[in-house]
Amino acid sequence: MSDFDTGADYGHVEAGQEHESLDQLHQVEGSENSYDSNFGVYEQDHASAEQTSFDQGHHVEYSNPDGTHYEESDFTSYDHSAAESDHVFAAEGSESSHASEFSQLDALRHQLDTSFASATELHTDGGGQLGVASN
């Protein structure tokens, strides 16, 4: 406490400032990859062979006692050969790929500034008392 010529008496007086800050950093990263392939080969073979042989004969021979002679021959021959071959080839396929990446960054900065003043008593010669408080 202080005494002045004015006769005033000051009690508790306090003033000040406070500064605080909050820093927070949050980071997330990730990736995803996928691959798919599907291939197919189809093949078909077919082969056939055919062979036909047909023979037919006819023979007539006649001799007469008077010395005449008759002879007849008929002959048929048929041959057939065939070959067949089939080939089918097919291929199909698909391929796919996917890739993704992500990154996330969250930053939080908060500043807290406060100032305060506080006074408790003031006495003057007039005998009055004043209470003061503020922030």
Side-chain angles (χ1 to χ4, degrees), residues 78-101:
Y78 173 75
D79 289 322
H80 171 73
S81 295
E84 181 179 319
S85 176
D86 295 328
H87 181 77
V88 176
F89 178 80
E92 66 176 353
S94 65
E95 185 174 20
S96 64
S97 176
H98 169 76
S100 65
E101 295 182 7

Side-chain angles (χ1 to χ4, degrees), residues 10-99:
Y10 291 98
H12 172 76
V13 175
E14 184 179 3
Q17 293 182 351
E18 292 182 3
H19 301 283
E20 295 180 23
S21 65
L22 173 67
D23 290 325
Q24 182 179 10
L25 184 64
H26 179 73
Q27 184 174 4
V28 176
E29 293 182 3
S31 65
E32 175 185 68
N33 294 309
S34 65
Y35 175 78
D36 182 37
S37 66
N38 186 10
F39 291 97
V41 175
Y42 308 99
E43 190 168 3
Q44 179 180 3
D45 288 322
H46 172 263
S48 66
E50 178 183 330
Q51 184 171 1
T52 305
S53 179
F54 176 71
D55 295 323
Q56 181 180 14
H58 174 79
H59 180 74
V60 175
E61 186 174 343
Y62 175 72
S63 294
N64 216 354
D66 64 0
T68 59
H69 182 72
Y70 175 74
E71 187 176 338
E72 174 183 321
S73 293
D74 292 328
F75 195 85
T76 302
S77 177
Y78 173 75
D79 289 322
H80 171 73
S81 295
E84 181 179 319
S85 176
D86 295 328
H87 181 77
V88 176
F89 178 80
E92 66 176 353
S94 65
E95 185 174 20
S96 64
S97 176
H98 169 76

Side-chain angles (χ1 to χ4, degrees), residues 96-118:
S96 64
S97 176
H98 169 76
S100 65
E101 295 182 7
F102 69 92
S103 178
Q104 180 180 359
L105 178 66
D106 293 332
L108 173 66
R109 179 171 174 87
H110 190 72
Q111 180 121 8
L112 305 170
D113 293 326
T114 58
S115 61
F116 64 91
S118 173

